[in-house]
Amino acid sequence: MPDAWLDDFLVRALLAGLAVAVAAGPLGCFVVWRRMAYFGAALSHAALLGVAAGVALGVAPGAGILVTCMGVAVALVFLQEQGHLATDTLLGILAHGTLALGLVVLGLMQGVRVDLLGYLFGDILAVNRADLAWIGGGALVALGVLAFLWRPLLTITVHADLARAEGIPVLTVRLAFMLLIAAVIAMAMKIVGVLLIVALLVIPPAAVRPFAPSPEAAALGAAGVGAVSVAGGLGASLVWDTPAGPSIVVVATALFLLSLLAGGRRVA
Amino acid sequence: MTPADDACLIEARDLSLARAGRTIVDRVSLCVRRGEIVTLIGPNGAGKTTLARLLLGLDAPDAGGVRRAPGLVVGYLPQRIAVDPAMPLRVRGFLGLAGAGRGAASRIADPDKRAALAEVGAGGLMDAAVAALSGGEMQRVLLARALLRRPDFLVLDEPTAGVDYAGEAELYDLIAGLKDRYNMGILMISHDLHVVMAATHRVVCLNGHVCCSGTPEAVSRHPEYRALFGDRVAESLAFYTHHHTHRHAPDGSVVEGDPDGHA
């Protein structure tokens, strides 16, 4: 078999982790610039409902996560357009409402054992070939769509009304961006789990901020920091037998702290 | 001043908008022609910005309609732009986004960006961080960005907010010059009752409804305008439009002598 090297679980874990990191970095830049970290957290909470729905309906958890996250994204845009409640309030309702519902649905399914811990903290070492295929494909599609949306998305990030006055379909672009985040969260769930997904979106862009001369450079740098975090975290987990998902996030956090030191010196 | 073209670039007919039971814009009709500067003035809450948003298509009116000339390219200068400090956007990149609404083919080359910045007197700002621009610099950069789109119609929302008095006069002169060079129609919102620019063709005084409109001189003499802003403010507007050699202190008094020596 020509791709026998994929039989190694570590190689599969590394490739899947890199794919997620490379997609999450550039998308995460917009999460940071648009101050949507809490939105990412809300979607990742909702992802557990997706898992429950997937199990209940007998479809892949990944598909359940994707549909649920997209549902929450659309619901959020709809509720924001009503303009009655602040976004953080809406997100709080959506995040915890869906998380609670997910836990209730899981509880109702008698005789079905779900590895809750695996979903909460990820199970990167258990990535199989099918997971790898859809994570890799998903990352490619997400990056392609992001490249297509790049300039309109930057423009609405700078000033939504300005973008709209100039003919950019702001609502469509916003919705598409939210769906992209939903897709990345569905992919990252296997890697770092519900509780740590936002770290992959937010920490790499924050770490490259002092060094990036342009949005494009920030996107590339964030992908790089994410990739180094995945490789470093997996390596650490191999050497010291630490949990892989949290190790990845710890490495990313360490890189962020380093960037604070280096960035501070750079300014001074 | 160039003579105004007859057809409206943009025309509002009987626009009305209410929010939470309060009428904000009340049956307003307005027309801006090519080569013409129309200035909207009115007290806070008079519906100036809301009317501009209706014209820009950012909000939908409850009644009435907006008609745009076919193929109208609109430029918009918001009052301020708050870029997150975490976003590493420089003026160069920001100007590059000017054509973002027209697809990937509309790349803007660096020499064009430089020319646009030079035209608005902001030649040195090419590599400045957008998040760090001052109010006046931001307005100039926004103006350059709008010009790169070759607009027919420009909407400026209080372009002199956060600009000092000397800078204000300069900015107004710049806008008037660009209007002629690019043959645009301009709608300007001003909270500034003292210094409505001399180049304004028409002033529309808004207080929900259109109180009065006409040349700056005519509006300043209008009883409704005087009732709205008081006689003292009305006087300072009236003599500004006649004399451009002096400046005004923040309270509206004349700080430099003018050749006519009037009080």
Side-chain angles (χ1 to χ4, degrees):
Chain A
M1 228 169 133
D3 56 354
W5 49 281
L6 282 180
D7 289 342
D8 189 334
F9 74 97
L10 259 180
V11 172
R12 290 195 304 266
L14 183 64
L15 289 177
L18 290 178
V20 167
V22 165
L27 266 173
C29 287
F30 284 100
V31 172
V32 170
W33 300 335
R34 297 176 63 73
R35 305 186 182 185
M36 287 173 70
Y38 195 24
F39 171 75
L43 281 196
S44 54
H45 283 69
L48 206 69
L49 175 61
V51 171
V55 172
L57 299 174
V59 298
I65 295 168
L66 203 57
V67 171
T68 310
C69 285
M70 288 180 176
V72 168
V74 172
L76 176 70
V77 170
F78 175 77
L79 290 169
Q80 278 178 328
E81 291 295 305
Q82 309 290 307
H84 297 309
L85 288 168
T87 300
D88 58 343
T89 304
L90 294 174
L91 286 173
I93 294 167
L94 288 171
H96 300 106
T98 50
L99 175 64
L101 187 60
L103 291 171
V104 167
V105 171
L106 281 178
L108 281 177
M109 286 185 297
Q110 289 166 351
V112 180
R113 303 255 326 237
V114 175
D115 175 18
L116 200 56
L117 227 53
Y119 287 114
L120 290 179
F121 295 105
D123 200 359
I124 187 172
L125 298 179
V127 167
N128 59 35
R129 279 171 180 254
D131 291 334
L132 182 57
W134 92 264
I135 287 175
L140 277 181
V141 171
L143 284 175
V145 174
L146 183 63
F148 180 73
L149 289 178
W150 186 259
R151 296 209 304 157
L153 194 52
L154 269 181
T155 309
I156 76 170
T157 301
V158 171
H159 200 283
D161 284 341
L162 176 64
R164 202 154 152 203
E166 293 178 355
I168 291 173
V170 172
L171 196 61
T172 312
V173 174
R174 264 177 59 203
L175 207 52
F177 174 64
M178 288 179 170
L179 297 185
L180 278 183
I181 297 180
V184 166
I185 283 176
M187 291 187 292
M189 184 129 168
K190 187 88 184 177
I191 308 301
V192 289
V194 168
L195 292 178
L196 296 175
I197 285 173
V198 176
L200 277 190
L201 285 169
V202 168
I203 298 177
V208 297
R209 188 198 61 84
F211 314 101
S214 68
E216 292 76 18
L220 285 176
V225 168
V228 171
S229 306
V230 165
L234 273 179
S237 123
L238 197 65
V239 174
W240 293 297
D241 196 25
T242 52
S247 301
I248 291 170
V249 176
V250 167
V251 172
T253 308
L255 289 175
F256 168 71
L257 292 175
L258 275 178
S259 84
L260 279 187
L261 293 174
R265 193 171 301 144
R266 197 167 174 264
V267 171
Chain B
M1 293 181 202
T2 46
D5 194 329
D6 269 355
C8 297
L9 284 174
I10 193 158
E11 187 184 11
R13 269 166 305 169
D14 290 323
L15 282 183
S16 292
L17 181 78
R19 281 279 160 80
R22 205 184 125 237
T23 302
I24 299 170
V25 173
D26 186 11
R27 284 163 296 153
V28 172
S29 295
L30 187 78
C31 162
V32 181
R33 298 179 179 85
R34 200 175 278 286
E36 182 179 54
I37 296 181
V38 175
T39 301
L40 277 182
I41 61 170
N44 284 335
K48 302 183 298 282
T49 297
T50 308
L51 176 58
R53 291 180 60 86
L54 291 172
L55 289 170
L56 288 166
L58 297 176
D59 290 320
D62 296 333
V66 175
R67 202 188 53 77
R68 292 175 169 208
L72 185 78
V73 177
V74 176
Y76 171 44
L77 276 73
Q79 210 176 104
R80 61 173 50 86
I81 281 193
V83 173
D84 193 286
M87 189 172 178
L89 187 64
R90 292 177 198 271
V91 168
R92 182 192 303 272
F94 181 50
L95 294 178
L97 295 174
R102 300 186 217 161
S106 57
R107 298 281 165 198
I108 292 163
D110 270 5
D112 292 339
K113 295 177 191 172
R114 233 179 312 249
L117 282 178
E119 196 159 21
V120 299
L125 293 178
M126 188 75 153
D127 289 304
V130 172
L133 294 179
S134 73
E137 289 171 338
M138 181 53 101
Q139 284 300 321
R140 284 168 194 266
V141 168
L142 283 170
L143 202 50
R145 186 179 176 284
L147 293 179
L148 284 168
R149 305 179 72 246
R150 308 278 157 206
D152 304 300
F153 173 57
L154 211 54
V155 176
L156 298 97
D157 190 354
E158 304 202 359
T160 58
V163 177
D164 64 25
Y165 268 73
E168 199 169 347
E170 238 178 83
L171 203 56
Y172 280 142
D173 285 347
L174 175 67
I175 291 165
L178 291 172
K179 186 264 300 172
D180 290 337
R181 180 120 39 106
Y182 287 80
N183 197 21
M184 305 177 277
I186 291 184
L187 179 73
M188 179 140 52
I189 296 176
S190 178
H191 71 296
D192 201 320
L193 309 173
H194 306 292
V195 195
V196 169
M197 62 185 289
T200 294
H201 295 73
R202 262 184 310 132
V203 174
V204 176
C205 175
L206 201 65
N207 189 23
H209 63 289
V210 175
C211 289
C212 51
S213 70
T215 60
E217 291 87 346
V219 165
S220 69
R221 284 192 301 266
H222 197 281
E224 273 211 59
Y225 171 81
R226 288 180 173 250
L228 208 50
F229 294 116
D231 282 341
R232 196 182 61 81
V233 169
E235 285 305 329
S236 69
L237 169 64
F239 68 65
Y240 179 80
T241 58
H242 294 140
H243 305 282
H244 314 292
T245 51
H246 60 262
R247 294 187 296 121
H248 292 267
D251 65 356
S253 62
V254 177
V255 289
E256 270 174 24
D258 64 72
D260 301 319
H262 72 108

